[in-house]
Amino acid sequence: MSNISRAEVAHLAKLARMAVTEEELDVFADQLDQILDAVAKVSEVAGDDIPPTSHAVPLTNTFREDVVRPGLTQQEALACAPAAEEGRFRVPRILGEEQ
């Protein structure tokens, strides 16, 4: 049994910048105990003859090959823009005078 302490949970909460109540410390300590116990059981089952893996099933790449396709011209891209200026999208200024 792991028996993670309330102080350890409070420390973890502080590191995660979480504000937790006294009641939550008890709940989280119990939940973390259960998680650590489950991980310990899995560790007992995994023997030296079983290689560590990151996934239960093999992964395959689902990306397609890069294909060069023609894009929009500058005029086509700006055709439906609400505002354009000097060949660019015009957007409202969000900064003050400082730059």
Side-chain angles (χ1 to χ4, degrees), residues 9 11 14 31 63 65 71 74 77 80 86 92-93:
V9 174
H11 179 68
K14 181 179 177 185
Q31 290 174 346
F63 296 116
E65 292 294 321
Q74 183 180 23
C80 294
E86 297 179 9
R93 180 180 289 267

Side-chain angles (χ1 to χ4, degrees), residues 53-69:
T53 58
S54 61
H55 295 83
V57 295
L59 297 178
T60 57
N61 188 350
T62 58
F63 296 116
R64 64 171 169 75
E65 292 294 321
D66 286 338
V67 178
V68 177
R69 295 185 296 179

Side-chain angles (χ1 to χ4, degrees), residues 10-51:
H11 179 68
L12 289 172
K14 181 179 177 185
L15 291 175
R17 298 175 191 246
M18 293 174 52
V20 295
T21 65
E22 293 297 317
E23 294 81 25
E24 288 174 325
L25 287 176
D26 291 328
V27 172
F28 293 156
D30 182 51
Q31 290 174 346
L32 286 171
D33 262 347
Q34 292 176 21
I35 292 168
L36 292 174
D37 287 342
V39 170
K41 287 179 186 175
V42 171
S43 296
E44 291 172 6
V45 173
D48 293 334
D49 58 332
I50 301 173

